[in-house]
mmCIF file of all heavy atoms in Angstrom:
data_model
loop_
_atom_site.group_PDB
_atom_site.id
_atom_site.type_symbol
_atom_site.label_atom_id
_atom_site.label_comp_id
_atom_site.label_asym_id
_atom_site.label_seq_id
_atom_site.Cartn_x
_atom_site.Cartn_y
_atom_site.Cartn_z
ATOM 1 N N ALA A 17 5.681 -0.383 2.694
ATOM 2 C CA ALA A 17 5.632 -1.735 2.134
ATOM 3 C C ALA A 17 4.290 -2.060 1.503
ATOM 4 O O ALA A 17 4.168 -3.031 0.763
ATOM 5 C CB ALA A 17 5.958 -2.755 3.220
ATOM 6 N N TYR A 18 3.262 -1.259 1.780
ATOM 7 C CA TYR A 18 1.931 -1.502 1.230
ATOM 8 C C TYR A 18 1.554 -0.482 0.157
ATOM 9 O O TYR A 18 0.455 -0.528 -0.379
ATOM 10 C CB TYR A 18 0.889 -1.490 2.347
ATOM 11 C CG TYR A 18 1.208 -2.489 3.419
ATOM 12 C CD1 TYR A 18 1.749 -2.079 4.631
ATOM 13 C CD2 TYR A 18 1.012 -3.852 3.208
ATOM 14 C CE1 TYR A 18 2.059 -3.000 5.619
ATOM 15 C CE2 TYR A 18 1.329 -4.776 4.185
ATOM 16 C CZ TYR A 18 1.844 -4.338 5.392
ATOM 17 O OH TYR A 18 2.167 -5.252 6.356
ATOM 18 N N GLY A 19 2.435 0.428 -0.158
ATOM 19 C CA GLY A 19 2.169 1.417 -1.192
ATOM 20 C C GLY A 19 2.463 0.848 -2.568
ATOM 21 O O GLY A 19 3.059 -0.222 -2.704
ATOM 22 N N HIS A 20 2.018 1.567 -3.599
ATOM 23 C CA HIS A 20 2.238 1.084 -4.956
ATOM 24 C C HIS A 20 1.956 2.194 -5.959
ATOM 25 O O HIS A 20 1.353 3.211 -5.633
ATOM 26 C CB HIS A 20 1.357 -0.131 -5.254
ATOM 27 C CG HIS A 20 -0.038 0.008 -4.757
ATOM 28 N ND1 HIS A 20 -0.397 -0.365 -3.481
ATOM 29 C CD2 HIS A 20 -1.141 0.510 -5.326
ATOM 30 C CE1 HIS A 20 -1.676 -0.105 -3.305
ATOM 31 N NE2 HIS A 20 -2.151 0.431 -4.420
ATOM 32 N N VAL A 21 2.384 1.955 -7.175
ATOM 33 C CA VAL A 21 2.167 2.902 -8.273
ATOM 34 C C VAL A 21 1.594 2.137 -9.457
ATOM 35 O O VAL A 21 1.932 0.976 -9.684
ATOM 36 C CB VAL A 21 3.479 3.645 -8.644
ATOM 37 C CG1 VAL A 21 4.563 2.694 -9.062
ATOM 38 C CG2 VAL A 21 3.242 4.691 -9.708
ATOM 39 N N SER A 22 0.690 2.787 -10.163
ATOM 40 C CA SER A 22 0.113 2.187 -11.370
ATOM 41 C C SER A 22 0.370 3.102 -12.554
ATOM 42 O O SER A 22 0.749 4.261 -12.393
ATOM 43 C CB SER A 22 -1.391 1.960 -11.200
ATOM 44 O OG SER A 22 -2.068 3.194 -11.091
ATOM 45 N N LEU A 23 0.130 2.571 -13.736
ATOM 46 C CA LEU A 23 0.378 3.297 -14.973
ATOM 47 C C LEU A 23 -0.768 3.007 -15.937
ATOM 48 O O LEU A 23 -1.152 1.845 -16.106
ATOM 49 C CB LEU A 23 1.702 2.809 -15.562
ATOM 50 C CG LEU A 23 2.206 3.411 -16.857
ATOM 51 C CD1 LEU A 23 2.611 4.867 -16.631
ATOM 52 C CD2 LEU A 23 3.402 2.607 -17.357
ATOM 53 N N ARG A 24 -1.317 4.073 -16.542
ATOM 54 C CA ARG A 24 -2.330 3.843 -17.573
ATOM 55 C C ARG A 24 -1.666 3.074 -18.710
ATOM 56 O O ARG A 24 -0.526 3.349 -19.082
ATOM 57 C CB ARG A 24 -2.885 5.169 -18.088
ATOM 58 C CG ARG A 24 -4.080 4.970 -19.032
ATOM 59 C CD ARG A 24 -4.603 6.270 -19.583
ATOM 60 N NE ARG A 24 -5.177 7.148 -18.600
ATOM 61 C CZ ARG A 24 -6.449 7.127 -18.186
ATOM 62 N NH1 ARG A 24 -7.280 6.228 -18.672
ATOM 63 N NH2 ARG A 24 -6.881 7.994 -17.286
ATOM 64 N N HIS A 25 -2.357 2.097 -19.242
ATOM 65 C CA HIS A 25 -1.803 1.290 -20.325
ATOM 66 C C HIS A 25 -1.463 2.210 -21.496
ATOM 67 O O HIS A 25 -2.281 3.032 -21.898
ATOM 68 C CB HIS A 25 -2.804 0.220 -20.755
ATOM 69 C CG HIS A 25 -2.210 -0.855 -21.576
ATOM 70 N ND1 HIS A 25 -1.839 -0.670 -22.894
ATOM 71 C CD2 HIS A 25 -1.904 -2.147 -21.278
ATOM 72 C CE1 HIS A 25 -1.345 -1.789 -23.369
ATOM 73 N NE2 HIS A 25 -1.368 -2.704 -22.416
ATOM 74 N N PRO A 26 -0.270 2.111 -22.071
ATOM 75 C CA PRO A 26 0.150 3.061 -23.109
ATOM 76 C C PRO A 26 -0.623 2.961 -24.426
ATOM 77 O O PRO A 26 -0.713 3.950 -25.162
ATOM 78 C CB PRO A 26 1.626 2.740 -23.318
ATOM 79 C CG PRO A 26 1.795 1.348 -22.828
ATOM 80 C CD PRO A 26 0.777 1.166 -21.722
ATOM 81 N N THR A 27 -1.196 1.807 -24.736
ATOM 82 C CA THR A 27 -1.928 1.665 -25.997
ATOM 83 C C THR A 27 -3.410 1.367 -25.808
ATOM 84 O O THR A 27 -4.174 1.409 -26.767
ATOM 85 C CB THR A 27 -1.307 0.545 -26.860
ATOM 86 O OG1 THR A 27 -1.369 -0.689 -26.144
ATOM 87 C CG2 THR A 27 0.126 0.884 -27.229
ATOM 88 N N GLU A 28 -3.829 1.048 -24.599
ATOM 89 C CA GLU A 28 -5.236 0.781 -24.293
ATOM 90 C C GLU A 28 -5.652 1.688 -23.131
ATOM 91 O O GLU A 28 -5.553 1.290 -21.971
ATOM 92 C CB GLU A 28 -5.429 -0.688 -23.920
ATOM 93 C CG GLU A 28 -5.068 -1.652 -25.040
ATOM 94 C CD GLU A 28 -5.236 -3.096 -24.614
ATOM 95 O OE1 GLU A 28 -6.343 -3.445 -24.153
ATOM 96 O OE2 GLU A 28 -4.275 -3.853 -24.746
ATOM 97 N N PRO A 29 -6.119 2.901 -23.413
ATOM 98 C CA PRO A 29 -6.391 3.875 -22.352
ATOM 99 C C PRO A 29 -7.492 3.477 -21.380
ATOM 100 O O PRO A 29 -7.611 4.083 -20.313
ATOM 101 C CB PRO A 29 -6.772 5.140 -23.123
ATOM 102 C CG PRO A 29 -7.106 4.704 -24.500
ATOM 103 C CD PRO A 29 -6.370 3.427 -24.745
ATOM 104 N N ASN A 30 -8.257 2.433 -21.675
ATOM 105 C CA ASN A 30 -9.287 1.958 -20.753
ATOM 106 C C ASN A 30 -8.789 0.822 -19.871
ATOM 107 O O ASN A 30 -9.580 0.098 -19.276
ATOM 108 C CB ASN A 30 -10.538 1.524 -21.526
ATOM 109 C CG ASN A 30 -11.251 2.719 -22.108
ATOM 110 O OD1 ASN A 30 -11.249 3.802 -21.524
ATOM 111 N ND2 ASN A 30 -11.842 2.538 -23.267
ATOM 112 N N ARG A 31 -7.472 0.713 -19.777
ATOM 113 C CA ARG A 31 -6.828 -0.269 -18.902
ATOM 114 C C ARG A 31 -5.672 0.394 -18.177
ATOM 115 O O ARG A 31 -5.164 1.417 -18.603
ATOM 116 C CB ARG A 31 -6.304 -1.459 -19.700
ATOM 117 C CG ARG A 31 -7.391 -2.333 -20.248
ATOM 118 C CD ARG A 31 -6.803 -3.590 -20.829
ATOM 119 N NE ARG A 31 -7.868 -4.450 -21.291
ATOM 120 C CZ ARG A 31 -7.751 -5.752 -21.419
ATOM 121 N NH1 ARG A 31 -6.611 -6.338 -21.133
ATOM 122 N NH2 ARG A 31 -8.759 -6.479 -21.844
ATOM 123 N N PHE A 32 -5.265 -0.227 -17.081
ATOM 124 C CA PHE A 32 -4.066 0.253 -16.401
ATOM 125 C C PHE A 32 -3.261 -0.930 -15.898
ATOM 126 O O PHE A 32 -3.756 -2.056 -15.815
ATOM 127 C CB PHE A 32 -4.400 1.244 -15.275
ATOM 128 C CG PHE A 32 -5.168 0.681 -14.110
ATOM 129 C CD1 PHE A 32 -4.519 0.265 -12.960
ATOM 130 C CD2 PHE A 32 -6.553 0.605 -14.144
ATOM 131 C CE1 PHE A 32 -5.222 -0.239 -11.876
ATOM 132 C CE2 PHE A 32 -7.274 0.116 -13.069
ATOM 133 C CZ PHE A 32 -6.610 -0.304 -11.930
ATOM 134 N N LEU A 33 -2.003 -0.670 -15.610
ATOM 135 C CA LEU A 33 -1.048 -1.679 -15.163
ATOM 136 C C LEU A 33 -0.719 -1.439 -13.700
ATOM 137 O O LEU A 33 -0.497 -0.302 -13.286
ATOM 138 C CB LEU A 33 0.232 -1.588 -15.996
ATOM 139 C CG LEU A 33 0.060 -1.626 -17.511
ATOM 140 C CD1 LEU A 33 1.380 -1.297 -18.203
ATOM 141 C CD2 LEU A 33 -0.462 -2.976 -17.947
ATOM 142 N N LEU A 34 -0.693 -2.512 -12.925
ATOM 143 C CA LEU A 34 -0.409 -2.435 -11.492
ATOM 144 C C LEU A 34 0.152 -3.786 -11.071
ATOM 145 O O LEU A 34 -0.311 -4.830 -11.548
ATOM 146 C CB LEU A 34 -1.702 -2.116 -10.732
ATOM 147 C CG LEU A 34 -1.677 -2.075 -9.218
ATOM 148 C CD1 LEU A 34 -0.838 -0.907 -8.705
ATOM 149 C CD2 LEU A 34 -3.107 -1.965 -8.677
ATOM 150 N N SER A 35 1.100 -3.769 -10.185
ATOM 151 C CA SER A 35 1.686 -5.016 -9.695
ATOM 152 C C SER A 35 0.658 -5.842 -8.940
ATOM 153 O O SER A 35 -0.309 -5.314 -8.399
ATOM 154 C CB SER A 35 2.851 -4.684 -8.762
ATOM 155 O OG SER A 35 3.301 -5.842 -8.093
ATOM 156 N N CYS A 36 0.904 -7.149 -8.868
ATOM 157 C CA CYS A 36 0.132 -7.969 -7.942
ATOM 158 C C CYS A 36 0.492 -7.489 -6.534
ATOM 159 O O CYS A 36 1.414 -6.700 -6.349
ATOM 160 C CB CYS A 36 0.459 -9.451 -8.132
ATOM 161 S SG CYS A 36 2.182 -9.904 -7.812
ATOM 162 N N SER A 37 -0.229 -7.939 -5.553
ATOM 163 C CA SER A 37 -0.050 -7.450 -4.191
ATOM 164 C C SER A 37 1.281 -7.925 -3.606
ATOM 165 O O SER A 37 1.414 -9.067 -3.174
ATOM 166 C CB SER A 37 -1.211 -7.933 -3.319
ATOM 167 O OG SER A 37 -1.099 -7.406 -2.023
ATOM 168 N N ARG A 38 2.253 -7.017 -3.623
ATOM 169 C CA ARG A 38 3.556 -7.282 -3.009
ATOM 170 C C ARG A 38 4.257 -5.969 -2.734
ATOM 171 O O ARG A 38 3.885 -4.935 -3.262
ATOM 172 C CB ARG A 38 4.395 -8.228 -3.844
ATOM 173 C CG ARG A 38 5.001 -7.651 -5.100
ATOM 174 C CD ARG A 38 5.812 -8.659 -5.860
ATOM 175 N NE ARG A 38 6.783 -9.324 -4.996
ATOM 176 C CZ ARG A 38 7.736 -10.118 -5.409
ATOM 177 N NH1 ARG A 38 7.862 -10.376 -6.682
ATOM 178 N NH2 ARG A 38 8.581 -10.668 -4.581
ATOM 179 N N SER A 39 5.255 -6.000 -1.903
ATOM 180 C CA SER A 39 5.991 -4.797 -1.548
ATOM 181 C C SER A 39 6.585 -4.141 -2.789
ATOM 182 O O SER A 39 7.154 -4.828 -3.644
ATOM 183 C CB SER A 39 7.110 -5.140 -0.566
ATOM 184 O OG SER A 39 7.912 -4.018 -0.316
ATOM 185 N N PRO A 40 6.472 -2.815 -2.915
ATOM 186 C CA PRO A 40 6.987 -2.144 -4.110
ATOM 187 C C PRO A 40 8.495 -2.314 -4.312
ATOM 188 O O PRO A 40 8.961 -2.281 -5.442
ATOM 189 C CB PRO A 40 6.617 -0.679 -3.892
ATOM 190 C CG PRO A 40 6.373 -0.540 -2.439
ATOM 191 C CD PRO A 40 5.892 -1.872 -1.960
ATOM 192 N N ARG A 41 9.235 -2.534 -3.258
ATOM 193 C CA ARG A 41 10.682 -2.699 -3.444
ATOM 194 C C ARG A 41 11.038 -4.057 -4.049
ATOM 195 O O ARG A 41 12.172 -4.289 -4.450
ATOM 196 C CB ARG A 41 11.459 -2.437 -2.157
ATOM 197 C CG ARG A 41 11.346 -3.456 -1.074
ATOM 198 C CD ARG A 41 12.193 -3.118 0.153
ATOM 199 N NE ARG A 41 11.717 -1.921 0.819
ATOM 200 C CZ ARG A 41 12.431 -0.788 0.936
ATOM 201 N NH1 ARG A 41 13.636 -0.723 0.465
ATOM 202 N NH2 ARG A 41 11.930 0.257 1.543
ATOM 203 N N LEU A 42 10.063 -4.965 -4.153
ATOM 204 C CA LEU A 42 10.307 -6.294 -4.720
ATOM 205 C C LEU A 42 9.701 -6.494 -6.101
ATOM 206 O O LEU A 42 9.876 -7.550 -6.717
ATOM 207 C CB LEU A 42 9.732 -7.362 -3.781
ATOM 208 C CG LEU A 42 10.275 -7.375 -2.354
ATOM 209 C CD1 LEU A 42 9.525 -8.385 -1.520
ATOM 210 C CD2 LEU A 42 11.767 -7.615 -2.334
ATOM 211 N N VAL A 43 8.966 -5.508 -6.603
ATOM 212 C CA VAL A 43 8.240 -5.653 -7.867
ATOM 213 C C VAL A 43 9.198 -5.876 -9.031
ATOM 214 O O VAL A 43 10.223 -5.206 -9.146
ATOM 215 C CB VAL A 43 7.366 -4.404 -8.126
ATOM 216 C CG1 VAL A 43 6.787 -4.412 -9.533
ATOM 217 C CG2 VAL A 43 6.254 -4.323 -7.094
ATOM 218 N N ASP A 44 8.850 -6.852 -9.899
ATOM 219 C CA ASP A 44 9.578 -7.033 -11.156
ATOM 220 C C ASP A 44 8.561 -7.159 -12.292
ATOM 221 O O ASP A 44 7.351 -7.158 -12.060
ATOM 222 C CB ASP A 44 10.554 -8.209 -11.103
ATOM 223 C CG ASP A 44 9.887 -9.557 -10.905
ATOM 224 O OD1 ASP A 44 8.755 -9.749 -11.380
ATOM 225 O OD2 ASP A 44 10.500 -10.432 -10.282
ATOM 226 N N ARG A 45 9.032 -7.258 -13.522
ATOM 227 C CA ARG A 45 8.132 -7.247 -14.696
ATOM 228 C C ARG A 45 7.073 -8.338 -14.644
ATOM 229 O O ARG A 45 5.946 -8.140 -15.068
ATOM 230 C CB ARG A 45 8.933 -7.372 -15.993
ATOM 231 C CG ARG A 45 9.617 -6.110 -16.357
ATOM 232 C CD ARG A 45 10.280 -6.091 -17.680
ATOM 233 N NE ARG A 45 10.422 -7.359 -18.389
ATOM 234 C CZ ARG A 45 11.042 -7.484 -19.537
ATOM 235 N NH1 ARG A 45 11.574 -6.443 -20.101
ATOM 236 N NH2 ARG A 45 11.141 -8.644 -20.127
ATOM 237 N N GLY A 46 7.425 -9.480 -14.127
ATOM 238 C CA GLY A 46 6.479 -10.587 -14.051
ATOM 239 C C GLY A 46 5.343 -10.366 -13.066
ATOM 240 O O GLY A 46 4.369 -11.113 -13.064
ATOM 241 N N ASP A 47 5.449 -9.355 -12.225
ATOM 242 C CA ASP A 47 4.414 -9.070 -11.229
ATOM 243 C C ASP A 47 3.299 -8.170 -11.755
ATOM 244 O O ASP A 47 2.275 -8.002 -11.098
ATOM 245 C CB ASP A 47 5.030 -8.372 -10.004
ATOM 246 C CG ASP A 47 5.998 -9.269 -9.272
ATOM 247 O OD1 ASP A 47 5.728 -10.483 -9.169
ATOM 248 O OD2 ASP A 47 7.021 -8.754 -8.796
ATOM 249 N N ILE A 48 3.485 -7.583 -12.929
ATOM 250 C CA ILE A 48 2.537 -6.588 -13.429
ATOM 251 C C ILE A 48 1.267 -7.265 -13.948
ATOM 252 O O ILE A 48 1.313 -8.208 -14.722
ATOM 253 C CB ILE A 48 3.165 -5.718 -14.533
ATOM 254 C CG1 ILE A 48 4.486 -5.101 -14.046
ATOM 255 C CG2 ILE A 48 2.179 -4.648 -15.003
ATOM 256 C CD1 ILE A 48 4.396 -4.260 -12.802
ATOM 257 N N MET A 49 0.128 -6.744 -13.500
ATOM 258 C CA MET A 49 -1.192 -7.231 -13.902
ATOM 259 C C MET A 49 -1.907 -6.144 -14.703
ATOM 260 O O MET A 49 -1.557 -4.972 -14.595
ATOM 261 C CB MET A 49 -2.019 -7.591 -12.665
ATOM 262 C CG MET A 49 -1.397 -8.662 -11.783
ATOM 263 S SD MET A 49 -2.298 -8.910 -10.229
ATOM 264 C CE MET A 49 -3.794 -9.696 -10.826
#
């Protein structure tokens, strides 16, 4: 419940995308920071 996955931003390589702090099974598009 405390694990997560991030992704390097596809067009800005000096940024990455990661959910706000919440369980990975509940993540939706609006949670991405």
Side-chain angles (χ1 to χ4, degrees):
Y18 304 103
H20 43 272
V21 59
S22 66
L23 180 69
R24 188 182 294 273
H25 195 287
T27 60
E28 298 178 54
N30 289 327
R31 290 189 177 204
F32 66 97
L33 307 171
L34 176 67
S35 170
C36 62
S37 184
R38 74 180 309 189
S39 174
R41 72 178 66 244
L42 302 175
V43 170
D44 63 32
R45 284 187 349 183
D47 295 322
I48 307 303
M49 301 173 71

